């Protein structure tokens, strides 16, 4: 009878155990079993970065041990972890610990009277960098130079066959959006190569949903405030084979818009300019048939919903609004009714011109709270299946 196969040991646990034996003799009196048990057991690989879960190496004796050691000893631990998880085809060189994205940013000086600012760029300011050069810690200007962009670490991953690229020091990445991106690809029919059909993304980020719309054959018009995210979007678009143009100024001459033939056009600016920009382009005679408008900002994208409505209905064609919001599980149906009432008012009454056709529960945001997407179909016809 064959012997049962042994469960492979956790590579991080093995690396930590081995590293502990290299410590000075005085430190080897520590409870090594406890240290190994409290070391992280999970990780995510975003080549060339290894990302450990929140709270790694902050419990039990770990903080005091790491603080007491010379930097060369801790560096050996970090390189041991990278080597343990690396493979022949994926060599990892950078190590960080994931921490939550703060909704507000602390003032630069602890004693400053300045109030906290909303982290509208969703900058990963709490990311703990353990090993490797992640690029400059502070950009000299609010808009990074090409030298800043080139000096930063850029990582990547593939979801649903599409590549995403970002600079972890400057831009967040949400793994949980994979389900919603897949739904867009599966639920909505591909568009023929008709350059008049568009999707609009009012919170483009690094291209989370932009690339799904592009894969469906649509041209995509999008807005994003964070220049680091825009650079990630550009790099990701090129990696996926999509042509892309970045517009940094307000559209002074909408007549030139018709000459742009890139599949993705991203405005590096506040999405408050989105509806006026689309209106001016249409006024110049450019056909913009918008079949999807995505509002993917949490905890709520409600500040952009009226603009999304104006952009879609101004096209004179039926289409979808995808409205993202965090909602308590007991309040989802109530919120659905409130959104239906909102679009009814925009239609000057419950005419049936717009309907909340579906509520997608994407992922849990907190206990009892769901990231929901309210799919609003705007148009008199039945939605295409």
């Amino acid at each position: 009878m064959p012997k049962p196969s042994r469960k492979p040991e956790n590579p991080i646990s093995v690396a930590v155990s081995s590293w502990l034996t290299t410590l000075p003799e005085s430190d080897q009196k520590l409870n090594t079993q406890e240290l190994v048990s409290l070391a992280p057991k999970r990780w995510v690989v975003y080549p060339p970065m290894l990302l450990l879960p929140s709270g790694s190496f902050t419990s039990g004796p770990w903080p005091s041990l790491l603080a007491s050691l010379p930097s060369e000893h801790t560096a050996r631990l970090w390189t041991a972890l990278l080597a343990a998880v690396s493979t022949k085809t994926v060599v990892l060189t950078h190590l960080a610990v994931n921490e939550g994205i703060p909704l507000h940013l602390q003032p630069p000086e602890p004693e400053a009277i300045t109030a906290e600012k909303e982290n509208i760029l969703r900058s990963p300011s709490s990311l703990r960098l353990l090993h490797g050069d992640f690029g400059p810690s502070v950009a000299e200007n609010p808009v990074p130079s090409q030298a800043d962009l080139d000096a930063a670490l850029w990582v990547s991953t593939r979801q649903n066959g599409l590549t995403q690229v970002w600079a972890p020091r400057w831009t967040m990445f949400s793994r949980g959006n994979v389900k919603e991106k897949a739904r867009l690809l599966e639920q909505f029919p591909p568009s023929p190569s008709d350059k008049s059909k568009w999707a609009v993304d009012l919170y483009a980020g690094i291209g989370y949903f932009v690339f799904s719309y592009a894969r469906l054959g649509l041209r995509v018009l999008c807005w994003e405030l964070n220049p680091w995210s825009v650079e990630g979007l550009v790099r990701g678009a090129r990696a996926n084979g999509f042509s892309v143009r970045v517009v940094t100024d307000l559209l002074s001459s909408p007549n030139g818009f018709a000459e742009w033939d890139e599949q993705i056009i991203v405005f590096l600016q506040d999405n408050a300019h989105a509806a006026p920009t689309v209106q001016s382009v249409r006024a110049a005679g450019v056909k913009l048939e918008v079949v999807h408008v995505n509002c993917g900002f949490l905890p709520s994208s409600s500040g952009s919903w009226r603009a999304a409505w104006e952009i879609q209905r101004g096209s004179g064609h039926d289409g979808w609004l995808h409205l993202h919001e965090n909602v308590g599980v007991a309040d989802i149906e109530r919120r659905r009714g409130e959104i239906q009432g909102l679009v009814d008012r925009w239609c000057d009454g419950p005419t049936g011109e717009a309907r909340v056709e579906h509520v997608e529960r994407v992922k849990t945001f907190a206990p009892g709270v769901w990231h929901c997407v309210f799919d609003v179909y705007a148009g008199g016809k039945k939605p295409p299946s």
Side-chain angles (χ1 to χ4, degrees):
M1 182 176 177
K3 294 182 179 179
S5 58
R6 291 180 59 187
K7 184 179 179 181
E9 293 185 84
N10 184 292
I12 288 183
S13 298
V14 172
V16 169
S17 296
S18 177
W19 172 79
L20 287 169
T21 65
T22 69
L23 294 181
E25 190 172 331
S26 59
D27 289 314
Q28 292 189 25
K29 297 177 182 178
L30 292 164
N31 186 334
T32 58
Q33 186 175 358
E34 180 185 16
L35 286 164
V36 172
S37 69
L38 292 174
K41 303 297 186 293
R42 298 176 292 107
W43 62 87
V44 182
V45 170
Y46 297 126
M49 179 180 70
L50 174 64
L51 187 64
L52 300 176
S54 176
S56 293
F57 298 108
T58 61
S59 58
W62 273 112
S64 58
L65 172 61
L66 295 175
S68 69
L69 294 173
S71 59
E72 58 266 25
H73 283 286
T74 54
R76 286 186 204 133
L77 172 60
W78 307 144
T79 55
L81 300 184
L82 291 168
V85 181
S86 292
T87 66
K88 290 181 179 179
T89 56
V90 180
V91 177
L92 303 174
T93 56
H94 292 68
L95 181 66
V97 175
N98 195 20
E99 300 293 354
I101 304 295
L103 295 181
H104 295 85
L105 297 175
Q106 297 290 338
E109 299 295 334
E111 298 82 9
I113 303 177
T114 310
E116 292 182 343
K117 293 183 178 180
E118 184 182 1
N119 185 11
I120 58 173
L121 300 185
R122 293 299 187 258
S123 300
S125 57
S126 298
L127 186 73
R128 282 199 288 136
L129 311 179
L130 299 182
H131 187 79
D133 183 2
F134 285 74
S137 59
V138 178
E140 293 185 2
N141 299 300
V143 178
S145 66
Q146 190 59 50
D148 292 327
L149 297 172
D150 292 342
L153 172 72
W154 295 90
V155 303
S156 65
T157 192
R158 283 181 69 80
Q159 292 183 328
N160 304 311
L162 292 166
T163 297
Q164 306 265 200
V165 180
W166 71 101
R169 183 164 218 159
W170 295 99
T171 312
M172 65 171 284
F173 176 71
S174 176
R175 294 174 63 202
N177 284 328
V178 62
K179 177 186 173 186
E180 178 63 8
K181 289 185 281 190
R183 185 176 77 97
L184 291 177
L185 291 169
E186 295 166 1
Q187 184 170 327
F188 298 98
S191 174
S193 54
D194 178 357
K195 288 196 171 185
S196 67
K197 289 187 181 293
W198 292 78
V200 172
D201 194 331
L202 295 178
Y203 301 93
I206 61 172
Y208 291 114
F209 303 109
V210 171
F211 300 155
S212 294
Y213 291 126
R215 176 59 57 83
L216 289 174
L218 298 168
R219 297 187 73 187
V220 190
L221 192 60
C222 46
W223 275 261
E224 174 55 45
L225 266 177
N226 187 340
W228 292 92
S229 295
V230 170
E231 177 69 13
L233 189 156
V234 169
R235 293 178 183 227
R238 291 171 178 163
N240 289 306
F242 304 132
S243 57
V244 59
R245 172 186 289 263
V246 177
V247 182
T248 57
D249 300 320
L250 295 177
L251 199 60
S252 57
S253 176
N255 294 312
F257 186 94
E259 300 174 3
W260 299 343
D261 60 359
E262 291 84 1
Q263 187 171 3
I264 299 170
I265 298 174
V266 53
F267 285 84
L268 176 52
Q269 58 188 231
D270 194 311
N271 62 19
H273 301 295
T277 296
V278 170
Q279 184 179 16
S280 66
V281 169
R282 285 173 172 154
V286 178
K287 182 181 179 183
L288 282 179
E289 182 181 341
V290 177
V291 293
H292 292 275
V293 184
N294 192 68
C295 303
F297 188 75
L298 297 176
S300 175
S301 62
S302 59
S304 65
W305 293 355
R306 184 58 194 252
W309 172 264
E310 293 173 358
I311 289 169
Q312 200 293 312
R313 299 315 292 142
S315 68
H317 296 270
D318 296 355
W320 292 93
L321 309 181
H322 306 288
L323 312 179
H324 295 237
E325 190 165 77
N326 288 339
V327 185
V329 65
D331 298 324
I332 292 175
E333 285 306 309
R334 177 186 59 79
R335 188 57 172 150
R336 177 178 187 159
E338 290 174 349
I339 294 172
Q340 182 63 61
L342 185 66
V343 296
D344 284 346
R345 289 195 295 275
W346 292 341
C347 295
D348 296 322
T351 62
E353 183 182 346
R355 302 170 300 283
V356 182
E357 290 284 348
H358 174 71
V359 181
E360 182 70 17
R361 300 187 187 190
V362 179
K363 61 182 183 291
T364 54
F365 186 82
V369 178
W370 277 88
H371 168 188
C372 293
V373 180
F374 296 87
D375 289 338
V376 176
Y377 188 71
K381 301 177 183 178
K382 184 179 179 181
S385 57

